Amino acid sequence: MMTKMIAIKSFLINTVIVSVKPCFADDQEQLLNKGLKLIQFAVMNAIALRKILKKYDKVHECANGMNFKSKLQAKHLDILQSPWLIELVAFCINLNDSDSSLTSDELFGPLSIDLNLTSEGSVLTLVLLGSEKLDCSLICPICLDLVFQPYALSCGHIFCKSCACLAARVLIIEGLKYASSDSKCPVCRESGVYDKPVCMSELGLLLQQRCKEEYKERAIEERKILLKQTKEYWEMQTSHAMGL
């Protein structure tokens, strides 16, 4: 069953890539419908697996099903934990040209996607079948501000790129690929989560379009930090090359 879950997750990621590539050649409405169906398919699979495991425990009078579910979540194989799902949701909202929400009643039933950006908190909410709800916080756990140039670690937690680099003790110009394998997530404290970070470009584009002034100010601040780090980096490299 673990192999099946890995295959489902790989299918989700690969389908996202395949769907995004022809975006300039495909009709926008058709592409949007494909994205919505993929979201519905992914969430319905997650719900079905949950019900199967619950039924298994009821029939066999054990807790093996729930234990297996816990193992999936611990290994970040649950589809609902995948940052690629959030990236796909953001992709659909970007295509939709709507100010706040996106809905569909095709295939598996009603789907509602809402982006709520307020001073109290910013959340991306996905509701399927009118009851299954998935909330994704868009606030960086480090700077406590709206995520800027968002990156997701393999544990699923989302940070600003600069904040994630700071936590991993690497320069922004180097990127998260230079993070040590021992670096831990600032939230869950799990190690090895910097190995395969996800650059959430669609989510970043969505927030940039909806929060233009805030993103403009952050871009200016980030540029100052980047220039400072770049200068310090090359001064250090020069000193090292000269043996100083």
Side-chain angles (χ1 to χ4, degrees):
M1 189 172 289
M2 184 74 73
T3 303
K4 183 178 180 181
M5 282 303 300
I6 295 175
I8 292 175
K9 188 173 182 181
S10 298
F11 171 80
L12 174 62
I13 295 174
N14 291 334
T15 310
V16 171
I17 296 173
V18 172
S19 297
V20 172
K21 281 185 177 180
C23 63
F24 293 102
D26 203 353
D27 179 77
Q28 181 169 314
E29 185 176 352
Q30 291 181 2
L31 187 59
L32 176 60
N33 288 332
K34 289 179 181 179
L36 289 174
K37 289 180 180 179
L38 181 57
I39 293 172
Q40 291 168 322
F41 175 80
V43 178
M44 285 298 293
N45 267 275
I47 296 174
L49 179 62
R50 186 185 306 169
K51 291 184 177 181
I52 291 172
L53 294 176
K54 186 176 181 180
K55 184 69 174 180
Y56 179 90
D57 285 351
K58 184 177 181 180
V59 172
H60 295 278
E61 297 182 351
C62 65
N64 293 338
M66 291 300 98
N67 291 336
F68 182 76
K69 176 185 173 184
S70 298
K71 290 180 180 179
L72 287 178
Q73 294 176 338
K75 293 180 178 295
H76 314 296
L77 295 176
D78 190 327
I79 294 177
L80 297 183
Q81 292 177 304
S82 174
W84 286 107
L85 179 59
I86 302 301
E87 184 73 345
L88 180 58
V89 170
F91 176 69
C92 288
I93 297 179
N94 289 335
L95 280 179
N96 188 50
D97 295 327
S98 173
D99 291 335
S100 59
S101 64
L102 183 150
T103 59
S104 172
D105 56 358
E106 298 181 6
L107 195 61
F108 295 117
L111 167 68
S112 174
I113 302 174
D114 291 287
L115 178 62
N116 184 23
L117 301 175
T118 65
S119 57
E120 290 78 17
S122 300
V123 179
L124 185 63
T125 301
L126 174 66
V127 180
L128 185 66
L129 300 177
S131 59
E132 190 65 28
K133 186 176 181 181
L134 174 64
D135 287 328
C136 174
S137 174
L138 303 178
I139 299 298
C140 175
I142 296 179
C143 66
L144 302 180
D145 204 346
L146 192 66
V147 287
F148 181 78
Q149 296 178 345
Y151 267 77
L153 305 183
S154 60
C155 58
H157 292 112
I158 302 174
F159 304 90
C160 304
K161 178 182 178 181
S162 57
C163 292
C165 288
L166 177 64
R169 298 181 180 180
V170 295
L171 298 176
I172 300 177
I173 58 175
E174 293 178 323
L176 296 177
K177 62 182 180 180
Y178 283 92
S180 169
S181 58
D182 297 329
S183 298
K184 298 180 179 180
C185 171
V187 176
C188 63
R189 305 306 300 167
E190 183 175 346
S191 59
V193 294
Y194 286 88
D195 292 341
K196 296 180 180 180
V198 178
C199 176
M200 308 190 72
S201 56
E202 286 295 332
L203 178 60
L205 177 60
L206 173 63
L207 297 177
Q208 182 180 357
Q209 292 174 341
R210 302 299 174 88
C211 308
K212 294 181 179 179
E213 291 300 320
E214 185 173 352
Y215 251 60
K216 185 177 180 180
E217 293 177 1
R218 288 289 297 275
I220 294 174
E221 295 176 2
E222 291 290 324
R223 180 173 175 78
K224 291 179 180 178
I225 297 175
L226 183 60
L227 289 175
K228 181 180 178 181
Q229 286 193 3
T230 302
K231 180 180 178 181
E232 293 175 349
Y233 174 81
W234 286 112
E235 286 179 350
M236 182 177 63
Q237 293 296 321
T238 302
S239 298
H240 178 73
M242 297 178 63
L244 298 179

